């Protein structure tokens, strides 16, 4: 990684992932590895998902839920890759624990929830980002016009 003149280089962070299904294994693990981030932990209530993830990232500690993960690890970033209906609660929980969050799309189901989470992150001085890797899909263009 390069750095801006006068600024120290930015080291890739330790990251934990909540939601260890296909998206975590096929998208997030390769993407995070490519930028040099270290995946230190994962959480999912599904034991099969945890075992599959564990084979892919054997050094990561695995947990049945985000609460247990947060109590066991100090990773500064949490990637929320769980099913969309769980995003709001998981993002809020991670922010409450003082962690930066990168959430999969769709972020949350309604604007009031999005506004509340954005305010929560801002008041804590934490980063909150939403990944949207497919902005040019025709169905998305139709909704924006």
């Amino acid at each position: 990684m390069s750095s801006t003149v006068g600024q120290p280089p930015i080291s890739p962070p330790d990251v934990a992932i909540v939601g260890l299904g296909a998206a975590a294994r096929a998208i997030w693990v390769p993407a995070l590895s490519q930028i040099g981030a270290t995946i230190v932990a994962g959480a999912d209530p599904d034991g099969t998902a945890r075992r599959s993830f564990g084979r892919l990232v054997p050094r990561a500690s695995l947990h049945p839920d985000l609460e247990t993960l947060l109590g066991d690890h100090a990773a500064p970033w949490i990637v929320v890759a769980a099913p969309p209906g769980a995003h709001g609660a998981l993002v809020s929980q991670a922010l409450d624990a003082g962690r930066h969050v990168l959430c999969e799309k769709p972020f949350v189901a309604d604007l009031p929830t999005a506004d509340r989470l954005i305010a929560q992150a801002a008041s804590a001085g934490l980063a909150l980002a939403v990944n949207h890797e497919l902005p040019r899909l025709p169905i998305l263009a139709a909704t924006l016009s």
Side-chain angles (χ1 to χ4, degrees), residues 40-139:
V40 296
D44 197 301
D46 183 303
T48 301
R50 286 195 308 274
R51 286 187 293 281
S52 294
F53 189 83
R55 285 189 292 277
L56 189 59
V57 187
R59 292 186 178 177
S61 66
L62 302 175
H63 306 273
D65 54 50
L66 181 57
E67 181 177 354
T68 307
L69 183 151
L70 292 169
D72 192 40
H73 277 282
W77 279 92
I78 303 294
V79 171
V80 176
H87 287 181
L90 293 169
V91 168
S92 183
Q93 187 178 1
L95 293 170
D96 279 344
R99 313 302 171 85
H100 303 289
V101 177
L102 176 56
C103 186
E104 282 239 328
K105 47 91 176 103
F107 178 38
V108 290
D110 57 74
L111 188 56
T113 302
D115 288 341
R116 178 181 56 77
L117 293 170
I118 292 166
Q120 182 181 355
S123 70
L126 296 168
L128 171 58
V130 178
N131 177 57
H132 199 313
E133 73 277 3
L134 304 171
R136 299 201 195 309
L137 286 176
I139 192 160

Side-chain angles (χ1 to χ4, degrees), residues 2-71:
S2 63
S3 64
T4 304
V5 174
Q7 295 180 350
I10 298 171
S11 299
D14 287 349
V15 176
I17 302 175
V18 59
L20 304 178
R25 295 187 308 268
I27 297 169
W28 287 106
V29 169
L32 292 167
S33 297
Q34 187 173 27
I35 64 164
T38 302
I39 301 168
V40 296
D44 197 301
D46 183 303
T48 301
R50 286 195 308 274
R51 286 187 293 281
S52 294
F53 189 83
R55 285 189 292 277
L56 189 59
V57 187
R59 292 186 178 177
S61 66
L62 302 175
H63 306 273
D65 54 50
L66 181 57
E67 181 177 354
T68 307
L69 183 151
L70 292 169

